Amino acid sequence: MSSPFNHEALWTKAKLFLNRAMDDDQRSFDEQALWAALALELLAKAALARVSPLLIAEPNEDGTNLLIASGLVKGEARFTSVRAKTLMARCHKAFKPFDQSEAMKIINGRNEYLHSSGAGFMAIPPHAWWPRYWAQAAILVTALDRDIDELVGSDREPTVTKHLEQNAKNIEQRTEALIERAKQRRQQWLDGTLPARVAAEWKSGQYLSASMAHSEAATCPACETAGLLEGEEVVNSEIHYPPGGGYRLDEESDSHYLDDVSVTLTVAADYFSCHGCQLVLNSWELIRQAGLDTEFDVEGDVDEYVGQEPEYGND
């Protein structure tokens, strides 16, 4: 019997579920989508567990799950993995451009289908649902260093490829539509012909900021005025020390020394907005498609990155 966190076993189970999900002749769309959603969670677990089983272990007070995942506890101990929301959040950070928001729409549809009287998967037609699904699943397959045909078989690979191509076209069309609409709306505002209902929603002179932790000015692809790129996730940090001398522990408290130290943070861009034309691009895919930078550099807090002692638990 394989370990519950074994990534190969999780991959094999995901293959089984997707085989059921792609049985067009035997299952209704809602049942297909249910199996596919279950497979997505398994793929997320497999991708993380392949890096380390600890990434999918649910922390508990006595640490049993972590001990099992680390291989220190054997036998009949029960292993519990983290919730789907946590899995998707970790994949979002680890496997770009995996989109946590899109993945959670699939997971929430599954939960609604199973646990409530809501429409679940039926809220989105199959021709729109599958491209969005495979856009996320394919990223996890890549994170596992696998190919689509290994997951669904060579006979079904063309079907997946078609969905992926459709999703790419959707992103392209969506980005173009948002930019062209922003241009049109701005011109109407300048000409004084903006419909009253739209004018009432116009926030002239205001950023439509998402209030994320980091931001940088960027030229708007619609009106070429200064917009704002934003992001939460720091993907890299670099400390710059004064030239001609190393960093010594006795210099941590030297304020003059720290005045010459700087930190550069590289941040993943997840949101763009422009006050000039009201354009909003609220995903990494849209930002990339629009030709904006998908990462940007900002100055970090020196006190946060320099001279900090690691925190140790005292349990």
Side-chain angles (χ1 to χ4, degrees):
M1 181 177 178
S2 63
S3 302
F5 49 79
N6 180 279
H7 74 273
E8 288 288 355
L10 292 165
W11 164 262
T12 299
K13 194 171 183 179
K15 289 174 62 176
L16 172 64
F17 284 8
L18 274 169
N19 184 59
R20 296 173 181 173
M22 299 184 77
D23 285 340
D24 295 328
D25 299 333
Q26 301 179 28
R27 307 182 195 279
S28 61
F29 166 63
D30 53 348
E31 185 181 355
Q32 287 181 294
L34 174 61
W35 286 115
L38 293 170
L40 185 70
E41 184 172 352
L42 288 168
L43 288 172
K45 286 183 180 180
L48 291 169
R50 184 169 180 260
V51 178
S52 171
L54 292 169
L55 292 175
I56 68 169
E58 176 69 33
N60 53 3
E61 189 171 350
D62 63 2
T64 300
N65 289 318
L66 299 177
L67 291 169
I68 295 172
S70 65
L72 294 175
V73 171
K74 304 290 185 181
E76 300 300 321
R78 183 172 182 270
F79 177 79
T80 304
S81 62
V82 295
R83 295 178 302 166
K85 182 178 181 180
T86 303
L87 290 171
M88 302 312 164
R90 291 177 181 178
C91 287
H92 176 80
K93 291 183 178 181
F95 309 125
K96 291 290 184 184
F98 186 83
D99 191 323
Q100 178 185 359
S101 176
E102 282 294 306
M104 284 310 300
K105 290 175 184 176
I106 296 168
I107 298 301
N108 290 336
R110 178 199 68 183
N111 294 340
E112 185 178 352
Y113 179 77
L114 290 174
H115 304 298
S116 78
S117 60
F121 304 113
M122 303 306 292
I124 303 175
H127 71 269
W129 192 89
W130 284 111
R132 295 168 67 174
Y133 174 85
W134 280 111
Q136 304 310 314
I139 295 167
L140 298 177
V141 172
T142 300
L144 283 157
D145 292 325
R146 303 276 194 164
D147 295 319
I148 292 295
D149 66 330
E150 296 179 73
L151 182 65
V152 302
S154 57
D155 56 331
R156 285 174 168 167
E157 183 183 12
T159 300
V160 177
T161 300
K162 183 178 179 180
H163 288 314
L164 289 171
E165 290 173 348
Q166 182 61 42
N167 184 75
K169 191 66 175 178
N170 287 341
I171 292 294
E172 179 183 345
Q173 292 174 341
R174 174 66 173 160
T175 305
E176 182 180 1
L178 288 169
I179 291 175
E180 290 304 313
R181 175 59 181 144
K183 290 179 179 179
Q184 180 189 62
R185 194 169 49 223
R186 174 176 168 80
Q187 191 59 51
Q188 287 179 302
W189 178 71
L190 292 173
D191 294 342
T193 59
L194 199 65
R197 180 176 296 179
V198 179
E201 299 172 355
W202 186 267
K203 301 176 182 177
S204 177
Q206 300 179 22
Y207 278 107
L208 308 176
S209 172
S211 300
M212 292 185 173
H214 306 285
S215 62
E216 181 188 58
T219 301
C220 176
C223 67
E224 299 185 351
T225 60
L228 195 68
L229 270 177
E230 299 180 64
E232 295 281 355
E233 181 188 356
V234 176
V235 297
N236 186 52
S237 61
E238 185 175 354
I239 303 174
H240 308 282
Y241 295 108
Y247 177 63
R248 301 190 302 272
L249 290 176
D250 59 357
E251 291 171 321
E252 290 181 4
S253 59
D254 188 339
S255 60
H256 296 294
Y257 177 83
L258 291 180
D259 286 343
D260 294 327
V261 177
S262 64
V263 177
T264 300
L265 305 179
T266 301
V267 180
D270 284 321
Y271 189 92
F272 172 83
S273 60
C274 174
H275 76 284
C277 63
Q278 309 290 282
L279 174 65
V280 171
L281 303 172
N282 60 1
S283 73
W284 185 91
E285 288 84 0
L286 293 174
I287 289 171
R288 180 181 63 173
Q289 182 63 41
L292 293 165
D293 291 335
T294 55
E295 294 181 351
F296 59 90
D297 292 339
V298 296
E299 184 177 351
D301 185 348
V302 173
D303 292 334
E304 184 178 345
Y305 287 86
V306 180
Q308 295 295 316
E309 291 291 340
E311 295 183 3
Y312 298 96
N314 55 3
D315 296 344

